[in-house]
Amino acid sequence: MGSWCRHVARPRFLGCSFLSFPLRCWDSVRRELDQSDHGKRIRSYRKTTSKYPRIRLRTFPILVDGPFGVVSAAEFIGICLFVVFAIWALYAYTMQNLNVLSQVSLSSEGKWNLMLILTGLRFGSIGIYFLAFLFLPISRGSVLLSIIDIPFEQATRYHVWLGHLTMSFFTLHGLCFVIAWAMEGQLLDEILQWADEGIAVLPGVISLLAGLLMWVTTLPLVRKKKFELFFYTHQLYAVFVIFLALHVGDFIFSITAGGIFLFVIDRFLRFCQSRRTVDVISVTCLPGGSVELVFSKPANLRYTALSFIFLQIRELSWLQWHPFSVSSSPLAGRKHISVLIKVLGEWTSNLKSKVLHMPGTEGENGLRSQSRSRITVSIEGPYGHEIPYHLTYENLILVAGGSGISPFLAVLSDILHLTNQGKPCLPKNVLLIWAIRRSNELHLLSTLDTESICPNFSDKLDLEVHVYVTRESHPPLEEGNMDKGISTSVSPLLRGSGMSVLVGPGNRTWSGAYVISSVVGFAVLMALLDIFYINPLNIATWWYKGLLLVGCMIGSAIIFGGPVIYLWHRWEKRAVAAEEDEDGKKDDRSQQSEHFKTMQDDVGPKDHAVSGTTHYGARPNFEEIFTSMSERWGKVDIGVIVCGPATLQSSVAKQCRSQNLRRGALHPVFHYNSHSFDL
């Protein structure tokens, strides 16, 4: 710890020309990655030189404050398009309503009632159009999101925005009808009506109530303080969708069926993956209130340093899934992956308590008993960018807040491994800025042993670290008073289940085959129903046909997609067996035993841990930092990646925007990227 208090890093910045990495080269990079080794063998990068760094719509923040959070120029264009569509639709529908009113002879009260009913219908129609897009962003393993290169953590924001728009129009839709029926004195009769032909009202009421419950619990005040309430209430999406289909029938519901069907396909695939329990190689309680979990994974599982996983521990909850950033580089180990979990809420507190009471914990007598882990873990993912975009910048600024350091440990490890192996690696200048509350969190940096990964890395990589301890005005008086932490580990697992490759950046051939088979199966089921059931029996009930449509969507994913998943699973087992045969069981055991021995070492700071400048009682001045980088690095592109709370994201985005707007001819362009997401 003393190195943190006494050592002040001397800034060393290397002037360099910008090496751009355009999107058109990403496909070539994907081909250059050896997918069976998780990107361990990066052969070459195709690089094109550009003298003029340019602002990109996807990485230029336009809005940095307000209800939308940080919004890039590309996202702002998308928001404007949806708003323009809503305004145009309202105008067009209003003109149609006025035209209808001008052609009927009714009393003034009758015209008001008719206007309310027509307006309610129009609000519902607009809501249906927005609903068609609502489920697309939350399809975590969606091939569509992968193709357009929108990671799930970023797409969840679009789901939130679309959810607010959709529920606003559906609420106005229901409110207009309630007022009209109340004015007619037929409110109760109309609400309880369930017609066979036309719109069935009661299912619509049930669907709207389910939607309102989900909507209310998504408000920040409820979601942050009562996350379990938000999580469990959000499972009402099934009630919302099914009763909506009963409400409007098959024809209108088909407008939204595309997005919902893709979500159903993704949900069934995630269900199949999450049924597997994953072996825990080691569990470590770190000082500062963090827990490190290391899981077994097959060698052909792909992920990047900025990936994340969803974690379920059945001893804590059978329903709750929590997202955590990966803290290990894909180059650090072929058969393990790790996450750092900071104790912040009830679930993480229960996890730490469970870990401390596991067999293998050192007690007061200093004895340690070894046994298998008593926590049952299931994992979904990994998710995130398929291409490691942190490697597309020669100059990087990493900004972390608290536990947001976790993905950047993986990023630094990634860069150091590539540098040590002599593989093509664009980042040459890296600045890490980390804001924490207490100095006991500094131990997290000790999990990255820079000299072991890349000896003499300072000759090849200009790495500078600045840590800001905001709640302490001076260093701890004695190093001995620092929290040493407790190390808890389970025995190395030589056999057992690793993570499944069914979800995340896996094999596109299999995932594409699964989607195609499900879509074809859906068409086949609908055709068979129409030929042998609906037409012969002359079924015309709207709500029943809507229910059949939902049933075909679910059935096709299971009946036609299920065999593809089974074959995919068999292929995965054969691939893992082939890897084990190639490596040899003896080598495999020695590799895991060596890793286990590493996990058994003391948890305190390592001799070659990342070092840098520690600032006590201060917060990072981003204007000063970015201005300094602008002057030192010159006319280049600088990638800025932020992982932390919303206030930190807003501050960094504001500086990126400010620097880009007032940049001179010899100044850089700051490209803002957020790795933070809030579910």
Side-chain angles (χ1 to χ4, degrees):
M1 194 53 165
S3 63
W4 278 97
C5 303
R6 296 189 296 268
H7 177 68
V8 178
R10 180 174 298 174
R12 294 181 292 108
F13 300 95
L14 305 176
C16 55
S17 62
F18 169 67
L19 296 178
S20 65
F21 196 91
L23 293 177
R24 64 177 177 269
C25 296
W26 284 25
D27 288 336
S28 65
V29 174
R30 184 182 288 110
R31 290 192 297 268
E32 297 297 335
L33 294 174
D34 185 344
Q35 307 300 350
S36 65
D37 217 5
H38 316 289
K40 187 176 182 180
R41 305 180 187 120
I42 302 180
R43 299 192 182 105
S44 63
Y45 287 107
R46 289 173 55 191
K47 296 173 282 188
T48 57
T49 304
S50 173
K51 294 182 178 180
Y52 307 103
R54 293 173 294 181
I55 292 176
R56 302 170 190 165
L57 295 179
R58 293 181 61 175
T59 58
F60 179 64
I62 291 290
L63 305 178
V64 296
D65 294 309
F68 295 104
V70 178
V71 179
S72 69
E75 292 171 338
F76 183 73
I77 293 173
I79 292 173
C80 290
L81 290 176
F82 274 94
V83 171
V84 168
F85 167 76
I87 295 174
W88 171 82
L90 286 173
Y91 169 77
Y93 282 144
T94 301
M95 297 305 296
Q96 290 182 11
N97 293 344
L98 294 176
N99 185 44
V100 171
L101 288 176
S102 65
Q103 297 178 7
V104 297
S105 299
L106 294 173
S107 62
S108 177
E109 183 178 352
K111 286 188 175 183
W112 273 110
N113 279 352
L114 180 58
M115 185 64 178
L116 283 172
I117 291 175
L118 292 175
T119 303
L121 288 173
R122 306 312 187 189
F123 281 138
S125 298
I126 299 174
I128 286 289
Y129 294 135
F130 285 133
L131 183 63
F133 297 93
L134 180 62
F135 285 85
L136 291 176
I138 54 171
S139 299
R140 299 175 187 173
S142 172
V143 177
L144 177 61
L145 291 181
S146 174
I147 293 174
I148 60 180
D149 192 41
I150 297 180
F152 173 72
E153 70 270 23
Q154 184 177 342
T156 51
R157 305 173 69 222
Y158 310 149
H159 172 72
V160 173
W161 299 345
L162 287 168
H164 288 310
L165 272 175
T166 302
M167 287 311 304
S168 296
F169 280 100
F170 279 164
T171 302
L172 292 173
H173 163 72
L175 190 61
C176 287
F177 278 97
V178 167
I179 295 174
W181 292 334
M183 291 175 62
E184 294 176 352
Q186 300 178 356
L187 179 59
L188 186 60
D189 293 337
E190 292 288 349
I191 285 179
L192 298 178
Q193 181 241 352
W194 193 319
D196 288 338
E197 294 187 6
I199 300 296
V201 179
L202 183 58
V205 174
I206 297 174
S207 178
L208 181 59
L209 290 177
L212 288 174
L213 282 174
M214 289 189 291
W215 193 22
V216 170
T217 55
T218 59
L219 299 176
L221 185 63
V222 179
R223 179 169 46 82
K224 291 181 179 179
K225 294 186 177 181
K226 299 289 184 180
F227 179 81
E228 286 78 10
L229 178 63
F230 154 76
F231 180 84
Y232 292 124
T233 305
H234 232 62
Q235 308 311 308
L236 291 173
Y237 72 85
V239 176
F240 174 78
V241 170
I242 293 174
F243 279 89
L244 177 65
L246 298 176
H247 173 56
V248 299
D250 61 318
F251 180 74
I252 298 177
F253 185 75
S254 63
I255 298 175
T256 69
I260 295 176
F261 184 44
L262 289 178
F263 173 77
V264 170
I265 293 174
D266 174 75
R267 188 66 189 87
F268 180 65
L269 185 61
R270 291 192 284 117
F271 173 80
C272 293
Q273 185 199 34
S274 62
R275 294 310 91 197
R276 174 185 294 188
T277 57
V278 178
D279 284 338
V280 181
I281 296 177
S282 68
V283 186
T284 307
C285 285
L286 299 172
S290 296
V291 177
E292 182 183 41
L293 300 178
V294 182
F295 307 107
S296 172
K297 73 175 183 67
N300 63 334
L301 177 71
R302 290 175 49 201
Y303 73 98
T304 69
L306 289 172
S307 296
F308 66 96
I309 62 174
F310 278 82
L311 183 65
Q312 179 205 57
I313 297 180
R314 297 179 183 179
E315 285 77 8
L316 303 181
S317 173
W318 276 80
L319 296 177
Q320 291 188 38
W321 292 82
H322 293 263
F324 297 101
S325 296
V326 171
S327 60
S328 60
S329 165
L331 304 177
R334 299 176 62 242
K335 297 189 177 181
H336 71 269
I337 186 173
S338 63
V339 295
L340 282 174
I341 301 174
K342 186 175 182 180
V343 178
L344 294 174
E346 181 180 355
W347 189 89
T348 51
S349 298
N350 293 337
L351 171 61
K352 184 175 182 180
S353 177
K354 185 74 177 175
V355 168
L356 291 176
H357 290 86
M358 285 171 50
T361 305
E362 290 183 355
E364 295 180 355
N365 56 6
L367 298 177
R368 177 187 295 272
S369 61
Q370 299 294 342
S371 67
R372 290 181 65 88
S373 171
R374 292 186 179 178
I375 58 175
T376 307
V377 176
S378 294
I379 292 177
E380 283 187 14
Y383 301 107
H385 280 282
E386 291 195 9
I387 296 300
Y389 69 90
H390 58 282
L391 298 178
T392 65
Y393 299 101
E394 186 173 339
N395 309 277
L396 272 177
I397 298 179
L398 310 175
V399 184
S403 58
I405 190 65
S406 178
F408 295 150
L409 295 176
V411 167
L412 293 178
S413 177
D414 214 26
I415 296 172
L416 290 170
H417 275 95
L418 288 172
T419 302
N420 183 56
Q421 296 172 11
K423 303 293 179 62
C425 181
L426 279 181
K428 295 297 184 293
N429 305 311
V430 181
L431 171 64
L432 173 62
I433 302 169
W434 186 25
I436 55 178
R437 295 183 178 182
R438 303 290 179 183
S439 57
N440 58 0
E441 297 183 47
L442 291 172
H443 288 270
L444 291 178
L445 284 178
S446 68
T447 61
L448 181 64
D449 194 345
T450 55
E451 288 294 336
S452 286
I453 299 174
C454 183
N456 302 318
F457 73 92
S458 58
D459 296 334
K460 309 170 187 176
L461 175 68
D462 185 21
L463 172 62
E464 186 178 0
V465 179
H466 287 272
V467 182
Y468 294 82
V469 185
T470 60
R471 298 289 180 88
E472 296 178 4
S473 58
H474 52 79
L477 296 178
E478 297 181 13
E479 297 181 23
N481 291 335
M482 295 302 297
D483 184 9
K484 296 293 184 183
I486 301 176
S487 176
T488 304
S489 298
V490 299
S491 300
L493 304 177
L494 305 181
R495 289 184 175 274
S497 298
M499 294 170 57
S500 172
V501 300
L502 293 182
V503 181
N507 192 311
R508 279 195 176 184
T509 302
W510 282 109
S511 58
Y514 168 64
V515 172
I516 293 173
S517 64
S518 299
V519 172
V520 172
F522 174 71
V524 170
L525 284 180
M526 288 296 297
L528 292 176
L529 272 177
D530 194 58
I531 295 172
F532 296 104
Y533 182 63
I534 295 177
N535 288 336
L537 299 181
N538 197 25
I539 294 176
T541 304
W542 283 29
W543 64 265
Y544 184 58
K545 294 173 71 175
L547 183 62
L548 291 176
L549 178 61
V550 174
C552 287
M553 292 166 60
I554 299 174
S556 61
I558 299 174
I559 298 172
F560 290 86
V564 177
I565 295 178
Y566 174 76
L567 294 175
W568 191 353
H569 175 68
R570 298 291 299 178
W571 170 85
E572 177 190 357
K573 291 182 65 175
R574 290 187 178 183
V576 172
E579 287 283 349
E580 290 181 352
D581 292 340
E582 182 181 349
D583 295 342
K585 295 182 179 180
K586 184 176 180 180
D587 294 340
D588 185 49
R589 287 193 180 97
S590 64
Q591 182 183 4
Q592 291 210 31
S593 298
E594 181 181 354
H595 174 69
F596 176 73
K597 183 180 182 301
T598 302
M599 301 306 301
Q600 293 283 61
D601 292 341
D602 55 322
V603 188
K606 299 179 176 66
D607 294 336
H608 300 294
V610 181
S611 62
T613 307
T614 304
H615 308 268
Y616 288 90
R619 297 180 182 275
N621 186 332
F622 291 111
E623 181 177 4
E624 178 181 332
I625 294 171
F626 278 50
T627 301
S628 175
M629 297 302 102
S630 178
E631 294 174 354
R632 292 177 182 272
W633 287 347
K635 189 178 181 180
V636 295
D637 281 70
I638 300 177
V640 181
I641 308 177
V642 186
C643 185
T647 52
L648 182 68
Q649 298 177 54
S650 177
S651 299
V652 175
K654 188 178 297 184
Q655 273 308 308
C656 288
R657 183 183 65 178
S658 176
Q659 293 287 339
N660 289 339
L661 290 177
R662 66 169 187 251
R663 63 182 290 264
L666 300 178
H667 289 82
V669 172
F670 292 88
H671 299 275
Y672 176 85
N673 300 272
S674 174
H675 186 63
S676 305
F677 57 97
D678 192 10
L679 299 179

